[in-house]
Amino acid sequence: MTRFFARFHNLDRRWLYLAMVVILSVPVIIQIPLPPGATSPTTKGLYDLIESCPEDKVILIDSSWDAGSAAENRAQLECVIRHICREKIKFVVTSAGITVFGPEFANQIIEPIAAETGYVYGADWVSLGYKVAPQGSISLLIDGICKDLHSVYPADHRGTPVSELPLMDRVRTHEDFHLVYCVTYQPDNAWISFVKGQFDVPVAYGCMTISAPGYYPFIDSRQLAGMLIGNRGAAEYEELNHKPGLGRILIMATSFGNLMIILAAVVGNMGFYAARALERNARRRAG
Amino acid sequence: MNEPLTIWVGAIVTLAVFSYLVKENAFYRFFLHAALGTTVGMGIVMTIKQVLIPNWYQPIANAVTGDGPMTGLLWVLALVPGSLWYFQMSKKHFWVSTLVSGLFIGVAAGLAFKTWMLLIMPQIGASLKPLNPFDGGFTGEKLAEVVSNFVFIASLLTALLYFFFSFSTESKLMGKPMRFGRLMIMVCLGGMFGSTVMTRLSYLLERLRFLYQDWIGRQILSLFGG
């Protein structure tokens, strides 16, 4: 038995990679339903804020993700857009200073949902497109968006002047925003500093799980109104929406992966101790 | 670009990247360099299209053709500080570039100061948490909150003690709190590492979904009439 476990001590890591691929493939191919988990306060914070949006305000969504972080940001944007469209809230989408592919990826998600819910482009929602951060400083861009959105974005992503878009008549400064929801790999803290700190507009994030620990202090200090953390956040939000989607599928598969990692850690440790025991026995026999 | 071609290219690149897990190989290295080259090329094109043309060239061109105000011609002057950056390539005249880089550092420092002040000040306030469970009536929930607050404040102070003040770990007075602070930092780093693992799994999942659904499901199976 000891010899059997000792083999795991020096197991070629490629077997682990293969096992992980196989384990993750199962829930991707066959969708196994998992019971919904508890909703975290960070997710609930964003949901409640969207629910309380008054009719005369819009939600600004900064969607600055592309293929690099689609693994988690896609589901985070999808569930929030579904909720916004269900509540008939008007929204504006920007892509500030991070990735030029932001608008393309965001529109892939938004357009089908907008069509499904009868949202009219220009009247109910607008995609302003990508803007390079001036002097490489996203702070200046965010400051400009809050002070005069029209000067930062004279035209939308299709090149239509914003003056020709009915929705943009009533959206110009931070006073017209009910909430700024920023979805990207690792949202810039300038959103908190300027949008919340200077202009007192609530800010919420949708970020990768790896970035989330750095933002918890802002939740505690109420500088962030809410946050969707990776696919878990998306799955929780879908639960609140009563519309299971991509987040639910992905978090279920991630759970399988986590189980596999825990199992590998346990077996690896058993292998380590078994190998040490064999070494001790060998030394005793030799001595 | 048509969709099937995009999916096939995506699948080949994905498999090339995954091939590194088996062994470092030329197939992987080729796509790594291609990705780096594409990124740099994209960066140059985007800077020209998104920054230089609309913000610098267009105002000058409009002033010349009369489609815009004559003040647009002032943008020509931006060439002067812009050109100074190139002195970084000269050992002898390097100091000239520091004039403009100093200006940029000044602007960045000013912005950073404002950003951090707006970011950190509310957190200092939020660090002051109530520790009296009897304030406003005693309840189980209140007690749980106070315990949580106590752990938070203890962690905050001891982590600062460990990180910022160089007391000896042998110190009778400071040794134990410092060790507790170090333990709390370790717990925090453990949590962060857990988050890292979750994200890496998500990356793998996203690629697997792409390979199974888009590539195998929609492309390969369609070749066999599936």
Side-chain angles (χ1 to χ4, degrees):
Chain A
M1 196 66 172
T2 311
R3 268 180 211 291
F4 172 75
F5 278 112
R7 282 186 198 167
F8 290 107
H9 181 48
N10 290 320
L11 185 73
D12 190 334
R13 68 178 66 183
R14 285 175 292 191
W15 287 112
L16 283 176
Y17 298 148
L18 182 67
M20 183 59 83
V21 167
V22 171
I23 292 272
L24 287 182
S25 298
V26 173
V28 168
I29 297 165
I30 313 153
Q31 286 176 26
I32 305 154
L34 270 186
T39 306
S40 59
T42 56
T43 306
K44 191 79 171 67
L46 174 59
Y47 186 86
D48 290 344
L49 202 58
I50 290 175
E51 287 276 300
S52 66
C53 181
E55 264 187 42
D56 62 326
K57 299 227 173 185
V58 301
I59 291 173
L60 181 84
I61 298 171
D62 184 72
S63 180
S64 295
W65 57 276
D66 56 18
S69 59
E72 291 185 331
N73 290 153
R74 187 195 302 272
Q76 289 169 346
L77 181 67
E78 192 179 310
C79 61
V80 168
I81 293 292
R82 269 194 196 287
H83 183 203
I84 288 172
C85 290
R86 193 189 69 205
E87 296 296 319
K88 297 287 174 219
I89 298 163
K90 299 190 186 324
F91 63 96
V92 174
V93 187
T94 60
S95 189
I98 293 175
T99 170
V100 67
F101 301 113
E104 194 185 328
F105 276 81
N107 292 345
Q108 272 178 15
I109 302 285
I110 298 165
E111 280 166 2
I113 299 172
E116 206 178 293
T117 49
Y119 262 55
V120 179
Y121 182 82
D124 300 315
W125 76 284
V126 167
S127 173
L128 293 174
Y130 171 72
K131 253 304 178 257
V132 167
Q135 295 174 44
S137 168
I138 202 164
S139 306
L140 289 174
L141 194 56
I142 294 166
D143 194 43
I145 286 170
C146 290
K147 284 176 179 167
D148 185 5
L149 189 59
H150 288 220
S151 70
V152 177
Y153 284 101
D156 73 349
H157 84 288
R158 299 171 183 176
T160 311
V162 288
S163 54
E164 292 174 21
L165 300 165
L167 176 61
M168 294 306 288
D169 286 345
R170 46 178 266 201
V171 182
R172 187 172 278 277
T173 68
H174 64 92
E175 287 173 1
D176 305 310
F177 306 148
H178 171 67
L179 156 77
V180 174
Y181 174 55
C182 179
V183 197
T184 180
Y185 180 94
Q186 190 171 15
D188 197 290
N189 284 336
W191 288 103
I192 298 173
S193 299
F194 286 82
V195 180
K196 174 65 185 167
Q198 188 175 348
F199 300 108
D200 202 28
V201 174
V203 177
Y205 283 171
C207 62
M208 301 291 279
T209 315
I210 193 172
S211 314
Y215 299 124
Y216 276 115
F218 302 120
I219 293 283
D220 190 48
S221 62
R222 292 189 172 79
Q223 288 167 282
L224 270 181
M227 178 165 64
L228 295 192
I229 301 158
N231 288 321
R232 178 170 66 88
E236 287 171 0
Y237 205 96
E238 285 165 6
E239 208 55 50
L240 290 170
N241 260 345
H242 305 295
K243 196 157 178 68
L246 187 60
R248 183 89 180 272
I249 295 164
L250 292 171
I251 199 63
M252 185 247 302
T254 309
S255 304
F256 273 69
N258 286 335
L259 278 174
M260 157 79 200
I261 288 168
I262 292 164
L263 189 71
V266 170
V267 170
N269 275 285
M270 284 167 84
F272 169 72
Y273 287 115
R276 221 165 52 164
L278 283 178
E279 237 173 76
R280 254 202 320 269
N281 291 346
R283 268 204 307 271
R284 228 178 272 146
R285 271 193 230 104
Chain B
M1 207 172 177
N2 68 352
E3 199 194 29
L5 183 62
T6 311
I7 290 170
W8 274 93
V9 170
I12 290 164
V13 173
T14 303
L15 293 173
V17 172
F18 280 177
S19 72
Y20 177 77
L21 297 176
V22 179
K23 197 180 159 194
E24 224 277 354
N25 61 79
F27 186 46
Y28 161 77
R29 268 199 312 278
F30 170 77
F31 282 103
L32 180 72
H33 294 145
L36 286 172
T38 309
T39 306
V40 172
M42 275 285 301
I44 292 167
V45 171
M46 287 315 299
T47 305
I48 292 167
K49 278 182 71 174
Q50 290 259 351
V51 182
L52 288 177
I53 291 175
N55 297 340
W56 181 76
Y57 171 78
Q58 210 58 55
I60 297 170
N62 289 347
V64 170
T65 56
D67 293 333
M70 289 303 285
T71 48
L73 286 170
L74 290 172
W75 278 103
V76 174
L77 298 176
L79 277 173
V80 178
S83 307
L84 298 187
W85 281 107
Y86 291 100
F87 283 95
Q88 294 213 338
M89 295 173 186
S90 155
K91 277 185 184 169
K92 193 179 173 185
H93 301 291
F94 183 84
W95 66 271
V96 180
S97 71
T98 60
L99 297 172
V100 69
S101 61
L103 184 76
F104 270 74
I105 289 166
V107 170
L111 275 169
F113 182 76
K114 184 180 176 180
T115 302
W116 282 98
M117 283 300 283
L118 290 165
L119 207 62
I120 299 300
M121 295 312 277
Q123 291 206 27
I124 295 170
S127 301
L128 307 170
K129 293 177 182 288
L131 291 175
N132 180 8
F134 300 100
D135 183 28
F138 180 83
T139 59
E141 207 175 296
K142 189 98 178 169
L143 183 66
E145 189 194 335
V146 165
V147 169
S148 169
N149 290 349
F150 181 79
V151 171
F152 169 83
I153 290 168
S155 307
L156 176 76
L157 296 176
T158 53
L160 283 172
L161 197 66
Y162 174 74
F163 226 78
F164 282 97
F165 305 108
S166 43
F167 293 107
S168 161
T169 45
E170 304 305 312
S171 159
K172 276 198 169 70
L173 183 66
M174 296 297 175
K176 280 199 170 100
M178 279 172 76
R179 273 195 290 275
F180 180 75
R182 191 172 57 189
L183 179 73
M184 287 293 113
I185 291 170
M186 297 293 281
V187 168
C188 176
L189 292 176
M192 284 179 170
F193 181 69
S195 302
T196 308
V197 171
M198 287 276 280
T199 297
R200 300 288 175 255
L201 282 177
S202 298
Y203 278 139
L204 178 59
L205 262 173
E206 197 269 334
R207 287 293 83 196
L208 288 176
R209 283 184 77 249
F210 167 76
L211 289 174
Y212 292 144
Q213 291 175 8
D214 294 358
W215 185 50
I216 296 173
R218 277 164 47 195
Q219 298 302 317
I220 292 183
L221 292 182
S222 68
L223 293 177
F224 300 102

